[in-house]
């Protein structure tokens, strides 16, 4: 009788283990040509974390072995693996998981022809960019983003991802899961880059201990901070080159004087100055610099909370952005859309975008969060265009080394709300 009981117990364990397939598969850029990060989630720990991939459906000639980690073994395990040696402009088929515990369904991605920054003629990219999304009020935006999948090189979500802190603590993980399910038509098929927002900090009260200090964000999303020699081993800040653009993603939440949160992830200021200096010196190969962060430097939002931390952030980055002639800063936090004229120290430098001598800021924080749209006050002289009547998303189109076009679309009807082009007839000094 004990023998049969043991068999039954073993069978039950096998069944339970097999019922924990890989889910929430998503991709990210590494910052290195010809490689990608693949991440996924399992309820149970598995013996291995592997990606099988190849250039024919069902025929996986290559294998990548990754690692796993957990922020709570009661919740599940996050797995990451790096695919290396990828060919340009090639469709790849892949599955993830563990051969014994189970593999995922097959997914595909297409590598870009524009991933080699040593060849300036390959400048060009299309990147949907937006923030403040959540798992509710965002269905229309999610559908529009899915429609961009065949045209987008990658996606950039500028903070406030799931809004899992806006629900009761008991629903924290469920809300993260709901957001991943909402974005499942996009996440496994194209790189999805993120930066931290204030809603990634921790759960609602009573605060879940493992959720503190951006712990869940840093486990669930692996960005290329280690690959680009950042001063942090987290996903709080990083940079990479793609399609003629140097993207620099900062943490507006931590690691500068006056930031809202005091968690120490490293010396962000030293890294940012060195990174921007190197990027500016490399404009002959990578002509554009686009910065990304969650909070704005300028906003017409009427909320006192938005205004509270803006002076400290401006003190931290505005002079650096100006010194190294950052072309564009894309952010969110305010649940609306607002484009600035070229502006520095609260003064409008010009009202057109030909050879701008100051930073252009884009607030694209209206992807559809559960907190509703943010009203904007009129009268800001630096504000060129604003929209707060509904949800939307932006698309950055890098045409060549001399022109960069931004378009903002309304999610409800996919109509074009705003569009402008930055034109450079000569490289910045």
């Amino acid at each position: 009788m004990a023998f049969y009981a043991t068999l039954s117990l073993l069978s039950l364990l096998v069944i339970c283990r097999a019922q924990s397939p890989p889910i929430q598969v998503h991709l990210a850029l590494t910052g290195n040509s010809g490689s990608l990060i693949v991440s996924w989630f399992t309820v149970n720990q598995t013996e291995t974390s592997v990606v099988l991939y190849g250039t024919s459906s069902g025929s996986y000639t290559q294998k990548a072995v990754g690692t796993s980690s957990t922020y709570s073994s009661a919740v599940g395990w996050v797995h990451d693996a790096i695919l290396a040696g990828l060919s340009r402009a090639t469709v790849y088929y892949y599955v993830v998981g563990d051969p014994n515990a189970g593999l995922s369904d097959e997914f595909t991605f297409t590598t870009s022809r524009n991933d080699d920054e040593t060849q300036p003629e390959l400048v060009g990219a299309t990147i949907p960019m937006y923030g403040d999304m959540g798992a509710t009020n965002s269905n229309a935006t999610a559908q529009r983003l899915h429609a961009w999948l065949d045209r987008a090189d990658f996606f950039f979500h500028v903070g406030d991802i799931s809004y899992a802190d806006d629900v009761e603590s008991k629903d924290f993980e469920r809300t993260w899961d709901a957001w991943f399910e909402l974005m499942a038509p996009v996440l496994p098929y194209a790189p999805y880059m993120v930066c931290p927002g204030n809603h990634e900090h921790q759960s609602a009260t009573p605060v879940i201990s493992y959720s503190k200090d951006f712990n869940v964000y840093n486990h669930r999303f692996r960005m290329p901070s280690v690959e680009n020699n950042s001063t942090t081993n987290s996903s709080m800040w990083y940079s990479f080159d793609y399609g003629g653009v140097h993207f620099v993603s900062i943490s507006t939440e931590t690691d500068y004087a006056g930031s809202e949160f005091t968690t120490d992830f490293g010396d962000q200021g030293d890294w940012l100055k060195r990174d921007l200096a190197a990027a500016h010196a490399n404009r002959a190969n990578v002509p554009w610099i686009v910065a990304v962060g969650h909070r704005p430097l300028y906003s017409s939002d009427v909320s006192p909370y938005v205004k509270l931390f803006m002076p400290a952030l401006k003190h931290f980055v505005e002079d650096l952005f100006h010194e190294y002639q950052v072309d564009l800063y894309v952010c969110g936090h305010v649940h609306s859309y607002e484009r600035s004229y070229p502006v520095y120290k609260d003064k409008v430098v010009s009202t057109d975008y030909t050879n701008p001598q100051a930073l252009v800021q884009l607030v694209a924080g209206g992807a559809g969060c559960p907190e509703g749209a943010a009203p904007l006050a009129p009268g800001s002289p630096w504000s060129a265009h604003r929209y707060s009547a509904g949800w939307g998303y932006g698309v950055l189109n890098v045409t060549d080394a001399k022109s960069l076009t931004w378009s903002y679309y309304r999610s409800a009807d996919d109509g074009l709300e705003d569009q402008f082009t930055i034109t450079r007839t000569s490289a910045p000094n």
Side-chain angles (χ1 to χ4, degrees), residues 85-150:
L86 301 175
S87 300
R88 190 182 304 164
T90 302
V91 177
Y92 282 89
Y93 301 81
Y94 73 101
V95 296
V96 306
D98 174 82
N100 294 321
L103 298 172
S104 69
D105 292 337
E106 183 181 79
F107 302 105
T108 65
F109 62 85
T110 303
T111 55
S112 174
R113 65 178 182 85
N114 293 342
D115 65 355
D116 188 349
E117 300 301 343
T118 64
Q119 300 184 42
E121 70 273 14
L122 295 181
V123 171
T126 299
I127 307 106
M129 305 182 76
Y130 45 89
D132 304 77
M133 188 175 191
T136 57
N137 293 337
S138 51
N139 285 336
T141 302
Q143 292 172 8
R144 303 302 182 191
L145 296 174
H146 183 208
W148 276 90
L149 192 59
D150 291 338

Side-chain angles (χ1 to χ4, degrees), residues 265-314:
F265 289 99
D267 192 340
Q268 180 176 200
D270 176 68
W271 167 81
L272 182 58
K273 184 174 179 62
R274 289 186 290 106
D275 185 85
L276 289 176
H280 187 63
N282 191 40
R283 286 198 189 252
N285 293 314
V286 185
W288 299 99
I289 300 177
V290 173
V292 170
H294 180 58
R295 300 177 192 239
L297 307 185
Y298 296 88
S299 176
S300 299
D301 194 320
V302 299
S303 165
Y305 170 66
V306 169
K307 305 288 189 182
L308 183 61
F309 299 98
M310 277 174 48
L313 179 61
K314 288 171 74 172

Side-chain angles (χ1 to χ4, degrees), residues 297-337:
L297 307 185
Y298 296 88
S299 176
S300 299
D301 194 320
V302 299
S303 165
Y305 170 66
V306 169
K307 305 288 189 182
L308 183 61
F309 299 98
M310 277 174 48
L313 179 61
K314 288 171 74 172
H315 181 73
F316 175 48
V317 300
E318 189 170 29
D319 285 341
L320 283 174
F321 286 177
H322 190 71
E323 178 181 359
Y324 296 111
Q325 297 176 273
V326 172
D327 298 289
L328 201 61
Y329 176 56
V330 183
C331 56
H333 194 52
V334 177
H335 305 157
S336 59
Y337 170 70

Side-chain angles (χ1 to χ4, degrees), residues 314-399:
K314 288 171 74 172
H315 181 73
F316 175 48
V317 300
E318 189 170 29
D319 285 341
L320 283 174
F321 286 177
H322 190 71
E323 178 181 359
Y324 296 111
Q325 297 176 273
V326 172
D327 298 289
L328 201 61
Y329 176 56
V330 183
C331 56
H333 194 52
V334 177
H335 305 157
S336 59
Y337 170 70
E338 190 164 26
R339 165 169 56 91
S340 80
Y341 291 117
V343 59
Y344 179 60
K345 301 290 189 183
D346 297 291
K347 295 182 179 179
V348 175
V349 176
S350 65
T351 56
D352 67 64
Y353 301 92
T354 300
N355 296 320
Q357 298 302 304
L359 180 73
V360 177
Q361 177 189 268
L362 296 165
V363 177
C369 81
E371 296 178 350
L376 300 177
S380 301
W382 49 263
S383 182
H385 188 93
R386 67 190 78 184
Y387 174 73
S388 59
W391 306 121
Y393 64 96
V395 177
L396 180 65
N397 194 314
V398 186
T399 308

Side-chain angles (χ1 to χ4, degrees), residues 137-171:
N137 293 337
S138 51
N139 285 336
T141 302
Q143 292 172 8
R144 303 302 182 191
L145 296 174
H146 183 208
W148 276 90
L149 192 59
D150 291 338
R151 294 169 284 172
D153 287 75
F154 62 92
F155 296 76
F156 218 133
H157 192 148
V158 296
D160 285 4
I161 300 168
S162 73
Y163 282 83
D165 68 330
D166 263 13
V167 299
E168 294 182 34
S169 295
K170 65 181 180 64
D171 294 322

Side-chain angles (χ1 to χ4, degrees), residues 198-252:
N198 53 297
H199 284 278
E200 275 71 68
H201 179 231
Q202 62 186 22
S203 74
T205 54
V207 176
I208 305 169
S209 59
Y210 69 69
S211 75
K212 296 178 180 179
D213 300 325
F214 300 90
N215 191 38
V216 174
Y217 163 82
N218 279 312
H219 272 84
R220 283 183 173 265
F221 297 97
R222 178 178 170 183
M223 297 292 106
S225 56
V226 174
E227 285 75 15
N228 67 37
N229 299 313
S230 174
T231 52
T232 179
N233 60 0
S234 70
S235 293
M236 300 300 284
W237 60 83
Y238 58 92
S239 66
F240 61 93
D241 293 338
Y242 192 101
V245 181
H246 181 75
F247 289 93
V248 52
S249 179
I250 66 171
S251 170
T252 63

